[in-house]
Amino acid sequence: MMEILEKVKQVQQAVESFPIDNKEHLEAFRRQFIGQKGAIKGLMGEMKNIAPENRKTFGQEVNKLKQLAEERFKTLQDSLIETKQAEGPAVDLSLPVIPQQQGTVHPLTIVKNQIVQILERMGFNQSDGPEIEDDFHNFTGLNFPENHPAREMQDTFFIEKHPDIVLRTHTSSVQIRQMEAFPPPLRTFSIGRVFRNEAISARAHCIFHQIEGFFIDTNVSFVDLKQTLFHFAKELFGDDTKIRFRPSYFPFTEPSAEMDISCRICKGKGCNICKYTGWVEIGGAGMIDVNVFKNCNIDPEAYTGFAFGMGLERITMLKYQVKDLRLYTENDLRFLRQFRGMM
Ligand code: DAH
């Protein structure tokens, strides 16, 4: 009997000294003493082992202990609720708001939007074509003869099972699609993704964007081409921008030219961006080849036209002095945040 009363006493001490500071402690207390598997229930289970004459005393002791534990539980529960209320609501409504992290428009999109606006102001409408093309629209229609080395100017991604299907290597394919779909006059441009089988480096990527524009009407001349691109360059790069043409070769234009703009960094004096020439290349252009017209059933006697193609990544590099093409696709916030606020 003494032993079991000693045990009751121990539990009582434990009940009195159990530290309770929070909800978790309170729950632990409940489980340890008051719960179905708790110490007090355990003591009650001992009743059957107690000599009948001692049962009354034992029962009273255990009952006192039970009351004590329940009271302590209740008091602590109340005090926890009170402290919680005294602490006020879980959110401090007087705190200043955390500024919302606002995204930025991607630099390529910023420049693309500017180009769209400039060309639309000049009367070009925007058109589109598929990124997965057939050989005709990407090459043959554009006067790349079959097995002609000119096709190797662009390292092409082919679809293995369909050698006739390619990922377009340039947006010039949209020229063919437009000429097939609509009769002249046509004044349209397209901006989109192109693909070339090239190793990724600071200056090359296997996926990039081109801007393709062309104008077909009666009596369109090289002067119109020059004037259009001159105006375009001034609008995009600033009023003091000069342009120049260098003779070049493209299968789909004759004559063909490569177009340079005066270096914006050194204003033509020579710097490492323009490799000390004062000029940087921004694209190709020319008068649409007679064969291209024929391939699209446009009468080359009645119509002439010019076309131009430029790289969006390159133009953006020149405009914002981006030194490495890979920055465009790495999503480094330190790079992207520099364009905050621009549209
Ligand atoms: N398609 C050419 C390329 O990817 C760029 C180009 C050059 C487009 C001359 C044109 C053009 O429309 O007239 O290199």
Side-chain angles (χ1 to χ4, degrees):
M1 177 65 184
M2 286 316 281
E3 246 170 64
I4 192 80
L5 285 182
E6 187 55 34
K7 212 167 162 199
V8 174
K9 198 149 191 196
Q10 277 171 13
V11 177
Q12 184 194 329
Q13 276 164 3
V15 165
E16 282 166 346
S17 61
F18 195 94
I20 302 181
D21 294 326
N22 55 35
K23 254 183 21 217
E24 286 72 33
H25 292 167
L26 191 68
E27 173 58 13
F29 178 89
R30 193 193 61 78
R31 263 187 279 132
Q32 188 165 332
F33 302 111
I34 318 176
Q36 283 307 312
K37 291 178 184 159
I40 295 170
K41 269 269 148 61
L43 286 171
M44 284 172 171
E46 298 285 334
M47 187 67 95
K48 56 182 183 297
N49 306 325
I50 306 279
E53 65 276 20
N54 290 333
R55 283 191 183 158
K56 195 172 166 202
T57 329
F58 176 71
Q60 281 169 349
E61 288 304 309
V62 176
N63 265 337
K64 264 197 263 165
L65 175 60
K66 189 174 169 232
Q67 259 174 17
L68 177 79
E70 279 170 358
E71 264 162 34
R72 178 138 205 253
F73 181 80
K74 181 88 178 74
T75 336
L76 289 164
Q77 193 178 37
D78 289 350
S79 81
L80 273 183
I81 293 171
E82 264 167 39
T83 12
K84 210 166 167 217
Q85 278 166 355
E87 278 167 7
V91 265
D92 179 355
L93 297 175
S94 68
L95 276 179
V97 291
I98 300 165
Q100 230 179 18
Q101 291 283 324
Q102 223 176 9
T104 59
V105 180
H106 193 278
L108 292 177
T109 311
I110 295 170
V111 175
K112 176 185 161 180
N113 291 345
Q114 291 170 354
I115 290 173
V116 169
Q117 281 178 12
I118 296 168
L119 289 174
E120 283 185 344
R121 277 204 299 275
M122 286 199 280
F124 286 79
N125 74 308
Q126 194 169 359
S127 49
D128 211 354
E131 291 175 357
I132 301 172
E133 263 300 2
D134 52 36
D135 178 279
F136 178 75
H137 292 92
N138 197 78
F139 290 123
T140 310
L142 285 159
N143 197 35
F144 284 83
E146 245 157 85
N147 302 321
H148 191 278
R151 291 188 182 222
E152 279 163 30
M153 284 162 79
Q154 304 172 349
D155 288 318
T156 310
F157 282 118
F158 291 94
I159 310 288
E160 214 172 309
K161 288 199 176 132
H162 300 277
D164 191 44
I165 306 292
V166 300
L167 297 185
R168 68 177 177 192
T169 57
H170 52 182
T171 41
S172 301
S173 54
V174 183
Q175 280 189 38
I176 303 298
R177 294 209 166 256
Q178 287 286 306
M179 286 184 221
E180 282 175 332
F182 305 104
L186 274 168
R187 183 154 44 170
T188 181
F189 72 98
S190 178
I191 303 189
R193 249 189 305 226
V194 299
F195 309 84
R196 289 189 198 175
N197 193 359
E198 286 192 37
I200 297 171
S201 72
R203 303 186 62 82
H205 207 293
C206 54
I207 303 177
F208 53 101
H209 299 78
Q210 284 188 335
I211 304 116
E212 184 85 17
F214 66 97
F215 178 30
I216 301 170
D217 204 341
T218 50
N219 295 319
V220 175
S221 75
F222 207 91
V223 174
D224 298 309
L225 170 63
K226 270 184 131 172
Q227 192 56 39
T228 302
L229 290 180
F230 183 43
H231 183 74
F232 174 83
K234 286 208 317 188
E235 288 280 293
L236 190 61
F237 291 107
D239 244 350
D240 52 354
T241 310
K242 296 189 193 68
I243 63 165
R244 76 172 184 186
F245 285 85
R246 284 175 290 112
S248 186
Y249 169 77
F250 298 103
F252 36 91
T253 42
E254 181 59 35
S256 302
E258 253 152 298
M259 186 174 93
D260 297 341
I261 59 162
S262 52
C263 180
R264 305 177 68 234
I265 311 303
C266 61
K267 304 275 174 230
K269 286 191 204 77
C271 68
N272 64 348
I273 298 287
C274 61
K275 301 200 191 84
Y276 300 94
T277 61
W279 297 93
V280 284
E281 187 195 319
I282 68 158
M287 299 307 292
I288 296 173
D289 197 284
V290 170
N291 288 334
V292 175
F293 280 140
K294 286 184 187 157
N295 291 338
C296 303
N297 295 320
I298 291 176
D299 180 3
E301 299 293 326
Y303 293 102
T304 50
F306 68 69
F308 57 89
M310 291 177 271
L312 181 61
E313 278 76 359
R314 179 153 180 81
I315 289 179
T316 310
M317 271 181 142
L318 295 172
K319 233 178 122 72
Y320 297 116
Q321 286 141 58
V322 179
K323 301 233 162 61
D324 190 324
L325 269 179
R326 289 168 292 195
L327 284 166
Y328 292 133
T329 43
E330 277 169 354
N331 278 342
D332 187 331
L333 291 178
R334 290 168 301 178
F335 172 67
L336 297 173
R337 283 193 178 131
Q338 296 178 60
F339 299 90
R340 201 172 253 169
M342 298 189 198
M343 300 300 278

